[in-house]
């Protein structure tokens, strides 16, 4: 049978140069090439975009209006396409309510399982909760004082949308007079039509009784109430409200649980969420370290930052707190750290008795008061919630920090939801387990025959999803982990696991570097997962640089040979063996070993100074003591989830930032960090964008644009016209095009559809007005300069040393192909990171700077990794320190000093397996990193 192909003819999207290509279907195909060569333009912007566009065109016009128009890629012809699904690097939602459990939908099945087979236990007496009989309910009522006014309610509707017109008419027919509507008792006849799209709660007032010796009346009323609402009744007195349930309530203390439904276990619904934190798991409280930054200062010296500028003034705010200080005899000249705890509590949280005090305004009016005086913490928290001014809110907010909710302690759910257990664990304890532990738990779950029958489908679904997550190397993640804290690679592998779970066939999946953040050990699992998807009958097109994945693939397409304008051609296409033999392919050269990143001849010893982290316990770290050498290239390695980021980012980086005066940054938990006196600056270089708006670009970020504007302002024409440097800025009025305010594009809001961007018709996307564009330097105006690549600009400004130096650093980090004015939003993570590196390289080295990078090789080809290592080595040669978290063996083998974390991920990690030079780590048998590093070092 003839092999099927996806045929592409004349692809010209972005920098692609009229590519013709045949890609085999139902195979694992790798697209590779140096950064900026056009791999993503081919895989995502051409193949995926066209596959998705054609699928969408098959839908009805009605459905298409909600999806928005998708542009046709710049390609002549494409045949053999299947419906396309992209699994890309876009990080998951930043919503604090989104967790690994909710993203993977495991939590939805879990809620169903707990609702169907969960057993409620009283949190106070640890007894299983069973339904109360009417007799038990009446006995409880009879404990009330004689003469208590009781109202018996029946909760018929609980937080449901709708007008509930039929129900209200039915209640009137049955003779009921009053209801409690959304918390307020009203006459049924007076109820107007309810809002259809608003959630309502309706409790029917069944009877109003004064407690006496009238058990039979209570009996009848309760019976009616229970019948109306499927086993629930509410007793309302002036003091309290008690929920009775013929379904579930504790026999001893009366703790009752509503009917078990999935929504009870949702922290996003008012029924299940903790009433204090509304299901977030944390509340905003005043952080004493932000309120009192220096505990050695006294109140008079401005020790309390909130009162810093009004101490001993006529300010009414100060007069009020000063009355409290005088009343409790607090010494204003004593350092804050020495004030007795009890007195400090009065100052922070308010007086415990009413205090008589006088307030005198500047105009001389005096008012005398006798009241409790609010403490500074309670005052800030109250005003933060009450103020409508955004400026005030920001000021009060500067003293607040997230702290675990005092009621649910981070569990997010209310007491009723947390009282339900399956096999001895409530739903929150279940989500605290890692994927691996949860799988084990599900395998050992003992159920009664009835429970097993009820929960059969649900438990099977949970097991499947957990095993898929484990399969793609995410066994160390806990299900309550916030989605916003996941790395791009983790988020992508979660979506990959979801797709494997859907078992679709005949689909074309386009993936963007799924191996990011994976240790070599877990790579095989990922490759198996990709092969499993292929064997189901799907085509996989994967943009990837990882050598193991390339070797395991069926077909490789190498785009290049260079980046930007030097790329956009198919250099090689074929099986891994064919690509290795191709002399023109850089990828083939690295795969076959003709080219490689050399191991350094010597390892630096550093400058004999160190930073020591003592007893770090952040997240899963187990009393870790780690030493980092200053003046050396340090690399922290270990399997995914072993605690690398906890140690380097949360403990070390945040600790150093805090010590250098950035007090709002909370350092991770550790006893101390020694050697901080050897550091005067820390630079964290992540892969986050260099700017969030199209106005930000490499020229503005690196500062080279300032020098270019200076140069244009010194030209003859500019001087004649009286133009200064500001005239050549597209951010301020004067020189910019006012139609688009210097953006070059206009945003057209489409209401329900995504915004559409069109080039400005006044300046044709050049950002400047005609007068400004008349000023030229060597025949080019300012818009032409912004449109140059770094390489072109380097030649153009070769005789202006200040500009040349800055452009040279961009060139050195391998960004010769990007345009000076390229919008920051279009740069990849790896490109943004290298722009940041370039701007740091321009600065004079102090020898006391620490550079921290988290997986800088993300999105980089082996040839780019070589350039990156050269840049990092240059930083260290200048006398500064580099600390890198990395899985890439080429980076690891070039390190001077390695700290290997492990041995496993999650709870089984958090310790240092070994530390030393790459040779010492390779000799360590317990180290997984060492096992993979050894063959590379022996290849010298």
């Amino acid at each position: 049978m003839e092999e099927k192909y996806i045929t592409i003819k004349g692809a010209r999207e972005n920098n692609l140069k009229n590519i013709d290509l045949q890609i085999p279907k139902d195979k694992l195909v790798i697209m590779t090439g140096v950064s900026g060569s056009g791999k993503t333009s081919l895989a995502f912007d051409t193949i995926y975009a066209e596959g998705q566009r054609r699928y969408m065109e098959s839908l009805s016009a009605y459905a298409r209006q909600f999806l928005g128009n998708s542009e046709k890629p710049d390609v002549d012809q494409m045949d053999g396409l299947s419906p396309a699904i992209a699994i890309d690097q876009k990080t998951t939602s930043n919503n604090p309510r989104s967790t690994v459990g909710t993203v993977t939908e495991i939590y939805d099945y879990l809620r169903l399982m707990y609702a169907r087979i969960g057993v409620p236990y009283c949190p106070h007496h640890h007894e299983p909760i069973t339904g109360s009989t009417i007799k038990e309910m009446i006995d409880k009522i009879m404990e009330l004082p004689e003469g208590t006014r009781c109202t018996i309610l029946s909760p018929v509707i609980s937080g449901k949308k709708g007008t509930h017109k039929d129900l209200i008419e039915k209640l009137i027919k049955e003779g009921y007079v009053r209801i409690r509507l959304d918390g307020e008792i009203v006459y049924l006849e007076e109820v107007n039509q309810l809002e259809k799209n608003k959630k309502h709660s309706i409790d029917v007032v069944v009877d109003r009784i004064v407690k006496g010796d009238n058990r039979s009346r209570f009996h009848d009323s309760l019976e009616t109430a229970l019948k109306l609402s499927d086993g629930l009744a509410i007793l309302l007195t002036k003091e309290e409200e008690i929920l009775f349930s013929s379904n579930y309530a504790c026999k001893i203390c009366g703790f009752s649980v509503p009917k078990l439904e999935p929504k009870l276990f949702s922290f996003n619904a008012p029924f299940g969420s903790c009433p204090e934190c509304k299901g977030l798991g944390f509340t905003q409280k005043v952080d004493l370290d932000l309120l009192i930054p220096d505990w050695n200062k006294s109140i008079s010296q401005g020790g309390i930052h909130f009162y810093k500028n009004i101490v001993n003034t006529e300010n009414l705010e100060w007069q009020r707190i000063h009355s409290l200080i005088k009343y409790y005899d607090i010494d204003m000249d004593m350092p804050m750290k020495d004030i007795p705890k009890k007195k400090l509590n009065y100052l922070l949280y308010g007086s415990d008795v009413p205090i008589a005090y006088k307030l005198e305004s500047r105009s001389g009016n005096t008012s005398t008061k006798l009241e409790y005086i609010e403490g500074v913490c309670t005052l800030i928290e109250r005003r933060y919630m009450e103020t409508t001014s955004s400026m005030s809110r920001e000021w009060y907010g500067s003293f607040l920090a997230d702290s675990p909710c005092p009621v649910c302690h981070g569990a997010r759910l209310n007491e009723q939801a947390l009282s339900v257990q399956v096999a001895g664990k409530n739903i929150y304890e279940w989500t605290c387990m890692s994927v691996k532990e949860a799988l084990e738990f599900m395998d050992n779950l003992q159920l009664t025959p009835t429970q097993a029958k009820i929960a059969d489908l649900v438990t099977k679904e949970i097991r499947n999803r957990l095993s898929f997550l484990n399969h793609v190397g995410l066994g160390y993640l806990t299900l309550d982990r916030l989605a916003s804290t996941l790395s791009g690679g983790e988020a992508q592998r979660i979506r990959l696991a979801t797709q494997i779970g859907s078992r679709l066939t005949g689909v074309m999946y386009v993936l963007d570097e799924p191996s990011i953040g994976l240790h070599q050990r877990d790579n095989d699992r990922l490759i198996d997962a990709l092969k499993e998807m292929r064997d189901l009958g799907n085509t996989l097109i994967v943009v990837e640089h990882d050598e193991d994945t390339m070797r395991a693939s069926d077909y490789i397409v190498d785009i290049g040979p260079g980046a930007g304008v030097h790329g956009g051609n198919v250099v090689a296409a074929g099986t891994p063996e064919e690509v290795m033999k191709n002399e023109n392919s850089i990828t083939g050269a690295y795969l076959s070993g003709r080219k490689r990143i050399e191991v350094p001849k010597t390892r630096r010893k550093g400058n004999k100074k160190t930073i020591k982290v003592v007893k770090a316990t952040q997240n899963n770290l187990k009393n870790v003591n780690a030493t980092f050498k200053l003046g050396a290239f340090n690399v922290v390695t270990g399997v995914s989830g072993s605690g690398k980021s906890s140690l380097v980012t949360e403990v070390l980086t945040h600790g150093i930032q805090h010590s250098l005066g950035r007090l709002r940054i909370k350092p991770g938990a550790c006893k101390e960090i020694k050697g901080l006196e050897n550091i005067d600056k820390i630079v964290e270089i992540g892969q986050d964008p260099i700017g969030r708006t199209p106005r930000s670009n490499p020229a503005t970020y690196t500062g080279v644009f300032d020098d270019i504007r200076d140069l244009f302002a010194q030209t003859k024409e500019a001087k004649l016209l009286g133009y200064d440097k500001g005239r050549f800025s597209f951010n301020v009025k004067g020189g910019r095009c006012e139609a688009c305010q210097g953006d070059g594009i206009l945003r057209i809001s489409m209401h329900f559809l995504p915004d559409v961007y069109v080039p400005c018709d006044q300046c044709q996307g050049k950002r400047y007005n005609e007068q400004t564009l008349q000023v030229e330097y060597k025949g080019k105006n300012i818009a032409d300069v912004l449109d140059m690549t770094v390489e072109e600009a380097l030649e153009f400004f070769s005789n202006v040393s200040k500009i040349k130096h800055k452009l040279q650093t961009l060139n050195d980090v391998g960004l010769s192909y990007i345009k000076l004015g390229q919008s920051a939003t279009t740069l990849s993570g790896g490109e943004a990171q290298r722009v940041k590196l370039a701007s740091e390289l321009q600065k004079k080295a102090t020898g006391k700077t620490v550079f921290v990078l988290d997986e800088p090789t993300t999105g980089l080809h082996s040839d780019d990794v070589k350039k990156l290592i050269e840049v990092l080595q240059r930083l260290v040669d200048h006398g500064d320190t580099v600390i890198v978290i990395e899985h890439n063996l080429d980076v690891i083998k070039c390190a001077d000093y390695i700290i290997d974390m492990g041995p496993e991920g999650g709870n089984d990690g958090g310790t240092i397996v070994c530390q030393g030079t790459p040779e010492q780590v390779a000799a360590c048998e317990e180290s997984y990193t060492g096992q993979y590093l050894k063959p590379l070092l022996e290849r010298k």
Side-chain angles (χ1 to χ4, degrees), residues 16 29 82 136 145 157 190 288 305 352 498 535 586 626 634 816 916:
L16 297 179
V29 180
S82 319
E136 287 164 344
I157 296 287
E190 293 171 7
L288 293 186
H305 194 63
D352 56 353
T498 313
D535 296 341
I586 299 179
N634 300 267
S816 57

Side-chain angles (χ1 to χ4, degrees), residues 10 136 270 272 697 717 742 777 897:
E136 287 164 344
N697 58 46
E717 289 160 275
Y777 171 76
Y897 189 71

